[in-house]
């Protein structure tokens, strides 16, 4: 299955929300039960590397790291009794924070995130809308799960910064990038601009 969200970053308005496979709304009874929902809101997943940008934003906003700061990034990193790897094997590299993001390095992201308290990073994730209601108030929405900072133990402390160990829906993921594209100003997503009742009166949410 797949979902697509098109959002105006300045207004928060969702201009398009599509899922596939779908069903014919003129004959919903013929559609599969699995396809009659709205996966963009009801289906949650581990977002993975797309959330590295959120971690980088928190680090830069807190002033603990600059995009040009350099890190010594080994080919593997041992944390909490486990060995972390990047998707592409490599030797020890010298990458800037911007380079870590460009390379989508899990190890580099962990090394950078070590400079930020777990509670602060957790609060940034929440401020970006991770595991928070979208505000669309559609039935069947799943808000996902982000563990409390005190439960970031073991490998969780190291995997969350690069997008594993928590879950979200597609509208929440789009909202994260709306915030980044809007210069750090988050605007809650909206889908209905107005509606007109039987008496011809127009209402706005």
């Amino acid at each position: 299955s797949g979902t697509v969200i098109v959002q105006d970053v300045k207004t928060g308005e969702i201009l398009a929300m599509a899922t596939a496979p779908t069903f014919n709304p003129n004959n919903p009874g013929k559609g599969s039960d699995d396809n009659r929902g709205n996966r963009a809101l009801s289906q949650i997943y581990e977002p993975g590397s797309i959330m590295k940008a959120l971690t980088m934003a928190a680090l830069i906003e807190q002033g603990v790291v600059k995009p040009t700061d350099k890190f010594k990034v080994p080919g593997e990193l041992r944390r909490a009794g486990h060995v972390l790897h990047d998707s592409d094997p490599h030797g020890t590299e010298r990458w800037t924070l911007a380079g870590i993001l460009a390379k989508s390095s899990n190890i580099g992201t962990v090394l950078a995130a070590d400079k930020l308290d777990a509670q602060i990073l957790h609060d940034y994730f929440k401020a970006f809308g991770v595991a928070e209601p979208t505000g669309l108030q559609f039935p069947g929405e799943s808000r996902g799960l982000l563990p409390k900072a005190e439960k970031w133990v073991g490998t969780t402390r190291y995997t969350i910064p690069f997008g594993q160990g928590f879950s979200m829906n597609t509208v929440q993921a789009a909202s994260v990038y709306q915030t980044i594209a809007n210069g750090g100003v988050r605007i809650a997503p909206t889908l209905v601009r107005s509606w007109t009742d039987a008496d011809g009166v127009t209402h706005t949410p």
Side-chain angles (χ1 to χ4, degrees):
S1 65
T3 62
V4 176
I5 305 292
V6 180
Q7 187 176 17
D8 187 318
V9 301
K10 295 298 182 185
T11 66
E13 292 178 317
I14 294 177
L15 308 179
M17 179 188 295
T19 67
T22 185
F23 67 98
N24 182 351
N26 295 311
N27 196 351
K30 285 193 172 182
S32 163
D33 289 345
D34 292 336
N35 297 336
R36 281 198 290 266
N38 185 350
R39 287 185 178 89
L41 288 163
S42 65
Q43 192 173 71
I44 58 174
Y45 59 97
E46 279 190 335
S49 290
I50 64 170
M51 288 298 108
K52 288 172 181 167
L54 193 163
T55 298
M56 301 303 180
L59 287 162
I60 293 169
E61 181 70 17
Q62 284 293 300
V64 295
V65 183
K66 299 190 294 295
T68 54
D69 286 352
K70 292 182 178 179
F71 291 81
K72 185 178 180 180
V73 183
E76 60 181 39
L77 186 68
R78 182 170 290 276
R79 286 287 190 274
H82 293 264
V83 179
L84 305 176
H85 298 89
D86 285 338
S87 57
D88 295 322
H90 60 80
T92 299
E93 302 283 356
R94 293 281 293 179
W95 287 329
T96 62
L97 186 69
I100 288 169
L101 183 58
K103 294 290 186 179
S104 192
S105 170
N106 296 338
I107 294 171
T109 302
V110 170
L111 293 173
D114 280 346
K115 298 178 178 293
L116 201 58
D117 182 76
Q119 185 64 59
I120 293 175
L121 189 55
H122 171 277
D123 292 346
Y124 269 92
F125 273 57
K126 293 296 251 183
F128 270 94
V130 175
E132 290 290 305
T134 63
L136 295 181
Q137 300 181 11
F138 271 41
E141 176 178 322
S142 297
R143 59 191 287 183
L145 175 66
L146 176 67
K148 294 181 179 180
E150 58 264 28
K151 295 185 177 180
W152 290 20
V153 295
T155 55
T156 301
R157 172 66 178 92
Y158 308 106
T159 62
I160 284 179
F162 59 77
Q164 297 178 12
F166 67 96
S167 59
M168 64 196 308
N169 63 46
T170 308
V171 173
Q172 291 168 334
S175 188
V176 168
Y177 276 84
Q178 174 277 319
T179 305
I180 293 172
N182 195 35
V185 179
R186 183 177 185 273
I187 301 175
T190 56
L191 187 59
V192 177
R193 181 179 291 172
S194 65
W195 71 93
T196 303
D197 64 23
D199 298 322
V201 178
T202 300
H203 303 266
T204 56

